[in-house]
Amino acid sequence: MSATAPLENKENSEANSKWLDAHYDPVANLNTFSSCIALADLNGDGESKLVVGDLGTGGCNMKLKVYKGTTLMTDNTLLDLPTGLTAFLMDQNEPRTPAVAVASGPFIYVYKNLRPYFKFTLPPLEVNSLELEVWSQAKEDKIDPVTLKEMLEGIRGKAEVPLSVRSLKFLMLEPQEMETFVNLYKNQPLKRQTVITCIGTLKKNMADDDAVSCLVIGTECMELYILDPEAFTVLAKMSLPSAPAFMDVTGQFDVEFRVTVACRNGNIYILRRDSKKPKYCIELSSQPVGLVRVNKNIVVGCTQESLRGYTQKNTSIPNPTLLLLSGFCRGKKLWTAFLPAPITTMGVMDHKTRGYQAVLVGLANSEVHVYREKNLVNIVKSPDVVTSICFGRYGREDGTLIMTTKGGGLVIKILKRTAVFDEKDSTPGPPMAQSIKLNVPKKTKLYVDQTLRERENAVGMHRAFQMDLYRLRLNAARAYVKVLESSLSPMSSSVSEPLRMNAVVQGLGPSFKLTLNIQNTSACRPAMNLCISFLYDQSLYSMKTAFFKIPMLVPGLNYPIDTFVECLSDKGISDIIKVFVLREGKTAPLLTAHINMPVSEGIVVS
């Protein structure tokens, strides 16, 4: 019984597995990463091949290898370490066979029909003028290698433009090797060249699978280039705040596209069409080790043994002042999944025939975890630590998982046609009901988003509110002072003659009775030598007396003053009559009142 138990457990695990073990070669001698592996139908016969950029030993034996099935079909020697590899269609010619672009140093080697086709070189960078002058003196034998090294070290510590690769290699040499190095390179022109860090493809003008694609490359000098697929000229150039490490591209160049870049400063930047610099940023708490896109969301692997999902949509900030205070708009974090081991590589599982997408995460404990959003739906065991991973059509099988291991092995697994991934999380924890998203109403979601925004930008919002409040108070004070200085209020601001006045209009028209109630608000001082003047449109109204004197005003008593106004227009219009309270001998009025006259209903009826 004890001897048959392990055999039964193994048979049960194989029966429950969702993958078929198609091939395992522990001595394939493949040293590569996920950015240097791709699946493509290179011959146009309907069978996809495996293209691998092999790093070799790191200093030599770098090759471009192509596998068909389980056998090595071809291999081409590479001159430098490959940093990225991608397959793309560069023209409309028949048969529609893709080309392979290999990024290596400052060059992109393009292979067509598995033969070298074109070599693209990155535009040279500006050379430090002081460095150029120093090498010119070395060329004319004016300085010796020791002096050359001292001068280059001084330039490196102060110059804004970095040194070239030649100078950096020279500074690393031993004293006995310097003279040979200078004699070998001093007659060659000095160049400063950057290197490629990541590479991707962007559809030119159509979203079809067999559409022509442009190359998108990220460089060490913190720039992105988009290349024309036929002429290999630079179509667009974008700048980044830091050197890019991982990149994902979606859209069409001629319509609208979006480039998501994870940089070495721990931030993720999103660039759009016609933007030379990124406008959106996602700040991470640790360095990214992988970046993939699933539908419209991005999944980032971090060094803190965690997997995080973010939206690519920017968080809206309605107040422009807050936008200036907060800087970039940030993508919203959807979820976080914690992993049992550090991440070694990441990839996308896009099974197009089933319409199923998931994230493949290779871990340092020789496991590959399959995540559907934040739910762990499957665990694939590996004989060694996985260094690169790729899923897609291989041969004529759509669901093929290809992995390379740390020891150089090649693992090929095929997804069973009967395999079904559960949507629930396979890790122990809370029940499935807690992971179901509630159908939150739009108003509630808007309220929650607003509270989160207010919590994150509390200081900025308070400052903006205080600024607006102070501005409102200042404008109100200025308007009040203006009213007092021009005597436009119905209350007098004079200390010697404090008066108050209100007006009452009676009648339907065309004759109106206008009553002015004037009161002296002083405690014990009477007001004398006052008069009232009316200003009105004489084509609309007429008054028997437009100017008359006011008797002495005793403090505390209300003095009604009556006059009659006659409306002269029969068009049913009205106007304003201005009333001024004046003191004899002064031009500035003590009080001013604007009376809005009603429409003469008597004339309208007639």
Side-chain angles (χ1 to χ4, degrees), residues 403-414:
M403 300 176 288
T404 62
T405 61
K406 187 176 181 180
L410 175 63
V411 182
I412 300 177
K413 294 179 179 289
I414 299 176

Side-chain angles (χ1 to χ4, degrees), residues 69 94 114 149 185 188 305 327 380 393 486 542 545-546 551 571:
E94 296 291 341
L114 300 179
K149 181 179 180 181
Y185 292 104
Q188 297 182 9
E305 300 182 9
V380 181
R393 181 181 177 86
S486 57
S542 67
T545 306
K571 297 180 181 180

Side-chain angles (χ1 to χ4, degrees), residues 90-393:
M90 55 186 298
D91 51 40
Q92 297 285 352
N93 299 333
E94 296 291 341
R96 304 299 304 281
T97 56
V100 178
V102 182
S104 180
F107 309 107
I108 294 180
Y109 300 97
V110 181
Y111 293 83
K112 187 84 171 181
N113 297 323
L114 300 179
R115 295 180 181 179
Y117 177 78
F118 186 79
K119 175 184 174 183
F120 173 79
T121 306
L122 287 175
L125 302 177
E126 178 187 0
V127 180
N128 193 315
S129 58
L130 297 177
E131 179 189 5
L132 186 63
E133 178 65 24
V134 168
W135 277 103
S136 299
Q137 295 180 11
K139 179 180 178 181
E140 299 172 358
D141 296 329
K142 294 183 179 180
I143 56 176
D144 56 357
V146 178
T147 307
L148 175 62
K149 181 179 180 181
E150 293 177 355
M151 298 176 71
L152 288 176
E153 287 179 346
I155 295 174
R156 181 174 63 175
K158 299 180 181 179
E160 296 181 358
V161 179
L163 296 180
S164 62
V165 177
R166 181 201 297 183
S167 299
L168 295 176
K169 288 184 177 180
F170 176 75
L171 295 176
M172 296 170 59
L173 297 176
E174 298 295 332
Q176 61 272 15
E177 301 174 347
M178 293 182 182
E179 186 174 357
T180 304
F181 185 89
V182 172
N183 294 331
L184 182 61
Y185 292 104
K186 66 180 182 180
N187 293 322
Q188 297 182 9
L190 185 63
K191 297 181 180 179
R192 191 168 74 90
Q193 197 78 42
T194 185
V195 294
I196 300 173
T197 59
C198 54
I199 186 171
T201 58
L202 171 64
K203 300 295 183 181
K204 185 71 168 61
N205 47 27
M206 292 187 296
D208 300 338
D209 292 337
D210 59 347
V212 176
S213 300
C214 305
L215 289 179
V216 183
I217 56 177
T219 64
E220 188 71 28
C221 62
M222 301 179 293
E223 290 181 342
L224 287 180
Y225 293 93
I226 300 178
L227 307 181
D228 184 82
E230 295 182 350
F232 290 97
T233 56
V234 178
L235 297 177
K237 179 181 175 182
M238 305 175 183
S239 301
L240 291 169
S242 179
F246 305 97
M247 179 172 58
D248 180 83
V249 187
T250 180
Q252 297 94 45
F253 177 78
D254 293 339
V255 184
E256 179 63 36
F257 63 86
R258 179 181 296 171
V259 183
T260 306
V261 186
C263 295
R264 293 181 190 160
N265 61 355
N267 293 339
I268 296 176
Y269 300 97
I270 300 176
L271 300 100
R272 293 176 178 265
R273 178 180 170 85
D274 299 330
S275 63
K276 300 299 182 182
K277 295 183 180 180
K279 295 183 179 180
Y280 313 107
C281 171
I282 300 174
E283 298 179 358
L284 303 176
S285 58
S286 59
Q287 288 292 329
V289 295
L291 171 70
V292 296
R293 177 179 53 85
V294 179
N295 296 323
K296 294 184 179 180
N297 300 330
I298 56 176
V299 181
V300 186
C302 299
T303 55
Q304 294 178 338
E305 300 182 9
S306 63
L307 198 66
R308 303 176 184 180
Y310 292 89
T311 62
Q312 286 185 316
K313 296 181 180 180
N314 57 310
T315 304
S316 60
I317 301 179
N319 192 336
T321 306
L322 297 181
L323 180 61
L324 296 175
L325 293 173
S326 61
F328 290 110
C329 298
R330 296 174 293 175
K332 181 180 179 181
K333 184 167 71 172
L334 299 175
W335 50 266
T336 301
F338 296 97
L339 306 172
I343 300 175
T344 57
T345 185
M346 290 179 61
V348 178
M349 177 181 174
D350 188 5
H351 203 302
K352 296 182 180 179
T353 57
R354 295 189 182 185
Y356 188 86
Q357 285 189 332
V359 180
L360 301 170
V361 184
L363 302 179
N365 60 354
S366 302
E367 291 181 350
V368 176
H369 287 197
V370 182
Y371 280 88
R372 175 81 168 176
E373 293 184 349
K374 68 174 181 179
N375 298 324
L376 177 62
V377 296
N378 188 237
I379 298 178
V380 181
K381 299 290 185 179
S382 173
D384 197 0
V385 178
V386 176
T387 57
S388 70
I389 193 168
C390 182
F391 182 89
R393 181 181 177 86

